[in-house]
Amino acid sequence: VCFFIFRAAMMQGKTTTRNRSKPRLARERSTGQLVGEKGGLNAALLHNLRVGYKELLQDIAHDEEGVKEMKNHLKQLQREREHIAREVAAAEAFVESMSSEGALGPIVQKKDSLAAFAEDEYKKARVQHGNMMTLLKDEFGYHPEYKLGKTNDPSKEFSGKFFTPDPNPNDFV
């Protein structure tokens, strides 16, 4: 209600409590005043836009770095995945080769032949050890229990550890 009374008073040309030294309408202002007001607002707006633009550029740069790091991490994970897949495939192939009785035949035969070869070589080594111990006893007076032997020069004695190969290496007790 007060607004309408105030408005009616202005229309009839009656004076109000308003300060008459200031222009009432925008068209009553000088061009300099309008340019000053609008220019200041636009300058502040332009400054805010520039600051926001710089912040956006920084955010974009950080995001691009993050994307590069993620791509590197994904590449590393892919390499690990491929490596694990190769290991799994090799393990599956090994299990598959061991799963049938027919596939184990050559392996068992090879194991048996290797065991027989090792047993023969061990017997040969025992015989050779015995021959060398006899040579040390005869030529150098080596006494296995005392671990001492002598050469032609009495000042040059030698010693060694007493060792006899196990006659039954398959006995693990």
Side-chain angles (χ1 to χ4, degrees):
V1 173
C2 291
F3 175 75
F4 292 113
I5 294 170
F6 178 75
R7 180 93 173 148
M10 284 182 63
M11 294 296 227
Q12 292 176 358
K14 294 183 179 177
T15 60
T16 62
T17 58
R18 199 171 165 196
N19 188 359
R20 286 287 191 183
S21 62
K22 292 183 181 176
R24 289 186 299 181
L25 301 174
R27 65 178 172 256
E28 293 177 3
R29 294 182 187 162
S30 70
T31 306
Q33 287 175 333
L34 289 175
V35 168
E37 288 176 12
K38 299 296 180 184
L41 291 173
N42 288 335
L45 179 63
L46 183 61
H47 173 73
N48 290 341
L49 288 173
R50 284 183 180 156
V51 169
Y53 179 70
K54 286 180 183 178
E55 289 175 359
L56 282 175
L57 289 178
Q58 289 175 349
D59 289 345
I60 290 170
H62 289 296
D63 289 346
E64 287 175 349
E65 289 176 17
V67 167
K68 286 179 186 178
E69 289 177 12
M70 289 302 292
K71 284 182 179 179
N72 288 339
H73 185 67
L74 285 173
K75 286 178 185 178
Q76 177 64 28
L77 289 175
Q78 185 64 28
R79 285 191 295 264
E80 287 179 23
R81 180 181 181 190
E82 291 169 359
H83 175 72
I84 291 170
R86 285 192 302 268
E87 287 181 350
V88 166
E92 286 175 348
F94 177 76
V95 168
E96 185 64 32
S97 70
M98 295 293 176
S99 65
S100 67
E101 287 294 324
L104 289 178
I107 295 172
V108 171
Q109 288 174 354
K110 194 178 276 188
K111 178 220 164 238
D112 291 340
S113 67
L114 285 174
F117 173 76
E119 190 174 333
D120 290 343
E121 289 299 313
Y122 186 78
K123 287 178 184 176
K124 289 178 189 175
R126 273 185 55 81
V127 169
Q128 188 66 21
H129 178 266
N131 292 342
M132 291 299 114
M133 291 303 293
T134 304
L135 176 75
L136 285 172
K137 288 177 190 174
D138 294 345
E139 296 294 324
F140 300 103
Y142 180 70
H143 195 276
E145 287 79 17
Y146 294 115
K147 305 174 211 159
L148 293 174
K150 299 179 183 174
T151 61
N152 292 337
D153 185 5
S155 65
K156 294 185 179 178
E157 287 188 358
F158 66 91
S159 65
K161 288 190 171 193
F162 180 71
F163 172 76
T164 302
D166 189 2
N168 188 5
N170 294 330
D171 205 10
F172 294 111
V173 178

